[in-house]
Amino acid sequence: MPTRDLTLAMVGSGGDGVVTMGDMMAQAGARDGLNVIKVEAYGPQIRGGESSCTLRISADPISAQGDAVDVLVVFNWADFARFKGEVVPKADAVILYEASDPMPLSEVKIPAATNATWVPVPFVDLATKAAGTKAAKNIVTLGILAELFGIPPASVRKAVEFKFGKKKAGVLESNLKGFDAGREHAKSLGVDASARRLEYVAREPKLVMSGNEAAAVAALHAGCRFFAGYPITPSSEVLHFLSEWLPRSGGRIVQTEDELSALGAVIGGSFAGVKSMTSTSGPGLSLMAEMLGLASMAEIPAVILDVQRGGPSTGLPTKSEQSDLYLAVFGSHGDAPRVVIAPVDVEDCFHATVDAFNIAEEMQLPVIVLSDQAVGQRRQTVEGANLTHPVIDRRTPTAEELVEYRRYAASPNGVSPMSVPGIKGGMYQTNGLEHDETARPASSHVMHEKMSRKRFAKLAFVEEKYPLFQRLGPEKADVGIVCWGSSKGPVEEAMRELAAKGVSVSAFIPRILMPFPKQALVEYMASVRTLVFLEVNFVGQLYNYLRTIVDLPAGTRVFSRSGGMNLSVTEVKQRIESVLSESGARPEVNA
């Protein structure tokens, strides 16, 4: 019986083109209106190294990458060994492997694949004969996968044409020959793939994009016209994307010498009246802490996208972790208010980034978009019509307010009109010193208290106007899950599967972490019997942070582990089932 949901994984060395394969299959699925999630993993080497790509393609809505794979392609068994535990075939998976690989199958240890179909394929030989180069083995493999598993061949072929269409005619022709050779070879394999063939009705095409690309598009949509940044994995795609598209929109981009300089340039651009942004990861955000204080003190809008990776220090630069929360909400000397927003998927990276610009501009303070590698670098289908969002601009002084202009005049929500250099009557002194309402330096306790109250009044206004959170599941439930960021996807799918078995589970997913939607959480906690935190960091940072804000119920359970591997649907279900099997559970951290 055909399937409506297929997960494939490809493993090889750098240069084998496994990620390119995933991209082209994702484009093919999106062209036919299928739902797609593609993730990739690779070693921290600058050049070469192993890589893997996992693609889930479905006719039904999906929100997670898929725990185990239906189809596994291995170009090199030595490379596959590095992904054991991350790329897990199902018991009855179809495993296609390079026939000439020197490693004997007896040495290949995949305990989970107890009933797998093992298929040797001469990928290199087929590519060399059909396309004239072994480098085309990934295109040959595309043909095999399209023929065997119903990944739309016509759309895959168009993806190949799009990929190589701008190259010399011979390059495109040779790759198309490789694709056709793969399809022909698949017919001779004698593999019964009927249970793995996609069954679907083609619908309107969808966009396929990464979370980093969605954030970059959002910046353009919000009116960002200045970007300064330093390349750092896994956020560099934002810099790359905007380096091409920002100048086309009348903007400017600067690659600075480090992250401290990047945020300094962003503050300067914003002070000059231009919506400005930077992107980074954990090590870079650490360097930005001093400049975050300057943006808070001088009340200058700034947007910082932090795509989290494993830490501390250089840590796991190519793997995901949710461990920058403490740094994002607390990282500062002195009392420095900021807003922190955590997107939950690729489409939400767009909305969270526009929200960040709106809040930064309206409230005149720094806003951190706390993404992570599992969202930032994965590619996912989105509806193009959903990529729209209202845009807010900053408040500038009126003619009346420019008479004896007071840059930091008191107001109920802490916001005072912000002048732009060159406006007659709008000149004021700006630096990191405490100041009075006219911006003159002031060191008295009374003025420091007054200005601190003004700056923090903004957070109360943000909490009221931007109640950014989601509740999933029934209004009342036996188990309530609190999670954030990329964890939302596997939690949502696990809830659907458990609900089908009659298990009562709900979830609370905050999209804004600072200021936290306290009242919404209090109301949610009253609706569940047992509260469970799920986090991809070792110490349970969200749990510990929320203990400073609300009184969490007795018996709250915390399941947290370090990153390096994304949260899986199976993992979530196991945690929930363990809670349901216990009674009177005490607060506990399982790392």
Side-chain angles (χ1 to χ4, degrees):
M1 182 177 178
T3 184
R4 292 174 59 84
D5 194 328
L6 182 70
T7 301
L8 309 95
M10 293 73 70
V11 178
S13 301
D16 281 342
V18 297
V19 173
T20 299
M21 286 171 58
D23 284 337
M24 288 192 277
M25 284 191 287
Q27 291 163 10
R31 188 184 293 272
D32 276 20
L34 292 165
N35 298 296
V36 172
I37 293 178
K38 191 215 81 173
V39 299
E40 57 197 60
Y42 43 92
Q45 303 93 334
I46 298 298
R47 296 181 180 178
E50 68 284 354
S51 60
S52 74
C53 176
T54 301
L55 177 78
R56 185 178 179 191
I57 183 168
S58 176
D60 301 316
I62 54 176
S63 52
Q65 70 185 59
D67 291 1
V69 301
D70 301 289
V71 180
L72 174 64
V73 175
V74 179
F75 288 144
N76 187 310
W77 283 117
D79 291 323
F80 176 77
R82 296 176 174 89
F83 293 102
K84 283 186 177 180
E86 296 180 39
V87 178
V88 180
K90 290 181 178 177
D92 60 346
V94 177
I95 301 176
L96 308 170
Y97 62 95
E98 171 55 54
S100 64
D101 191 292
M103 181 179 292
L105 281 185
S106 59
E107 296 182 16
V108 177
K109 302 291 192 288
I110 310 181
T114 55
N115 193 33
T117 300
W118 298 76
V119 185
V121 179
F123 296 115
V124 173
D125 187 54
L126 286 169
T128 303
K129 290 179 179 178
T133 172
K134 66 179 183 179
K137 65 183 178 181
N138 61 335
I139 307 302
V140 169
T141 308
L142 279 177
I144 295 172
L145 296 176
E147 187 66 30
L148 286 179
F149 304 107
I151 300 168
S155 294
V156 175
R157 188 180 183 88
K158 288 181 180 178
V160 174
E161 292 171 347
F162 180 80
K163 174 71 176 178
F164 299 103
K166 294 182 180 180
K167 297 183 180 294
K168 295 179 180 179
V171 175
L172 174 59
E173 182 181 355
S174 63
N175 277 282
L176 289 176
K177 286 180 179 178
F179 178 72
D180 292 336
R183 293 190 65 187
E184 284 302 313
H185 186 77
K187 296 174 184 177
S188 68
L189 288 174
V191 177
D192 180 11
S194 56
R196 294 282 191 266
R197 284 190 67 83
L198 271 175
E199 182 180 74
Y200 67 97
V201 176
R203 291 172 291 182
E204 287 295 312
K206 298 181 179 182
L207 295 175
V208 59
M209 62 198 317
S210 70
N212 286 343
E213 289 170 341
V217 170
L220 295 173
H221 176 80
C224 176
R225 293 299 177 265
F226 180 67
F227 180 96
Y230 183 82
I232 180 172
T233 304
S235 74
S236 297
E237 293 87 353
V238 180
L239 173 63
H240 299 160
F241 187 98
L242 290 177
S243 67
E244 178 179 357
W245 290 98
L246 195 54
R248 299 183 186 184
S249 304
R252 297 290 184 270
I253 187 165
V254 175
Q255 180 176 320
T256 56
E257 64 270 29
D258 56 33
E259 291 86 352
L260 179 63
S261 300
L263 186 52
V266 165
I267 292 171
S270 183
F271 171 76
V274 178
K275 291 185 179 182
S276 304
M277 175 189 183
T278 187
S279 65
T280 190
S281 191
L285 187 63
S286 299
L287 293 177
M288 292 179 181
E290 181 179 354
M291 284 293 176
L292 272 168
L294 174 60
S296 295
M297 174 64 82
E299 301 187 34
I300 296 177
V303 174
I304 303 103
L305 172 65
D306 174 26
V307 187
Q308 299 169 93
R309 68 192 208 181
S313 189
T314 312
L316 303 174
T318 62
K319 301 293 182 67
S320 192
E321 193 167 75
Q322 297 176 307
S323 54
D324 291 353
L325 178 60
Y326 287 168
L327 176 62
V329 299
F330 295 129
S332 175
H333 60 280
D335 299 316
R338 81 286 305 273
V339 171
V340 180
I341 303 175
V344 298
D345 55 32
V346 169
E347 182 181 314
D348 197 36
C349 286
F350 174 87
H351 297 292
T353 303
V354 181
D355 276 332
F357 273 98
N358 287 345
I359 294 171
E361 294 293 318
E362 184 179 15
M363 305 311 298
Q364 301 172 16
L365 81 179
V367 180
I368 298 171
V369 181
L370 198 57
S371 180
D372 58 57
Q373 187 273 341
V375 167
Q377 290 193 323
R378 89 178 181 205
R379 301 187 71 80
Q380 185 174 3
T381 43
V382 300
E383 299 284 354
N386 293 343
L387 299 184
T388 183
H389 198 108
V391 173
I392 297 174
D393 296 321
R394 71 183 65 173
R395 181 174 171 240
T396 54
T398 63
E400 291 76 14
E401 289 168 331
L402 287 171
V403 177
E404 298 184 4
Y405 177 53
R406 295 184 300 160
R407 167 65 183 97
Y408 299 109
S411 69
N413 64 2
V415 177
S416 46
M418 183 176 178
S419 177
V420 174
I423 293 180
K424 185 177 181 180
M427 183 183 297
Y428 66 96
Q429 182 177 352
T430 304
N431 53 46
L433 291 172
E434 187 59 280
H435 45 257
D436 61 18
E437 290 189 351
T438 66
R440 293 186 179 91
S443 59
S444 75
H445 157 71
V446 173
M447 188 56 66
H448 185 43
E449 178 74 12
K450 179 180 179 179
M451 286 296 152
S452 295
R453 187 176 295 112
K454 175 187 186 296
R455 291 188 288 268
F456 274 90
K458 300 174 182 183
L459 296 184
F461 181 82
V462 171
E463 184 176 355
E464 180 180 348
K465 184 174 180 179
Y466 294 89
L468 304 179
F469 66 90
Q470 295 179 357
R471 283 187 61 161
L472 305 177
E475 290 190 10
K476 292 188 177 296
D478 292 332
V479 177
I481 303 171
V482 179
C483 65
W484 61 287
S486 61
S487 297
K488 184 247 186 180
V491 165
E492 185 175 27
E493 290 213 3
M495 286 175 57
R496 283 200 293 262
E497 294 183 18
L498 291 171
K501 298 179 181 179
V503 179
S504 176
V505 183
S506 64
F508 181 88
I509 303 107
R511 292 177 59 250
I512 189 165
L513 303 177
M514 167 66 80
F516 197 87
K518 175 181 175 180
Q519 186 56 39
L521 176 62
V522 170
E523 293 172 2
Y524 174 74
M525 291 190 300
S527 72
V528 299
R529 294 179 60 185
T530 303
L531 194 66
V532 177
F533 280 77
L534 288 172
E535 301 188 55
V536 185
N537 60 68
F538 188 76
V539 299
Q541 292 190 15
L542 182 64
Y543 168 72
N544 289 322
Y545 166 49
L546 290 186
R547 290 179 66 194
T548 70
I549 298 174
V550 297
D551 292 326
L552 298 175
T556 296
R557 297 296 304 274
V558 183
F559 295 111
S560 65
R561 63 159 173 79
S562 57
M565 184 173 69
N566 296 339
L567 192 66
S568 70
V569 175
T570 300
E571 196 175 359
V572 175
K573 290 193 296 183
Q574 289 173 343
R575 297 303 195 187
I576 300 310
E577 288 165 355
S578 72
V579 170
L580 290 169
S581 67
E582 299 172 1
S583 61
R586 294 178 297 174
E588 176 183 347
V589 174
N590 290 350

